[in-house]
Amino acid sequence: MISPQNLTIACAAVGLAGKEGDLLRKVLPWSLGLLLVMCLIVVGQSTAVLGWMLP
């Protein structure tokens, strides 16, 4: 979900060269939150709660 290359390109595009670490610190909590949501969906699909989503 987090690619160092994408962070570098994003920082270079907006003129924040050398601030990749700051961007990573801001993006990391969102990425972990989305990972948690995806894990909950997968667990839900493996039970009867969201089993209807699978063919």
Side-chain angles (χ1 to χ4, degrees), residues 15-55:
L16 294 175
K19 300 286 187 178
E20 291 86 2
D22 295 337
L23 181 60
L24 178 62
R25 277 191 285 279
K26 289 181 185 269
V27 172
L28 190 62
W30 287 100
S31 296
L32 293 176
L34 290 173
L35 177 63
L36 178 64
V37 168
M38 290 303 299
C39 289
L40 291 174
I41 290 173
V42 169
V43 168
Q45 287 178 338
S46 69
T47 63
V49 175
L50 295 177
W52 56 270
M53 295 177 80
L54 300 173

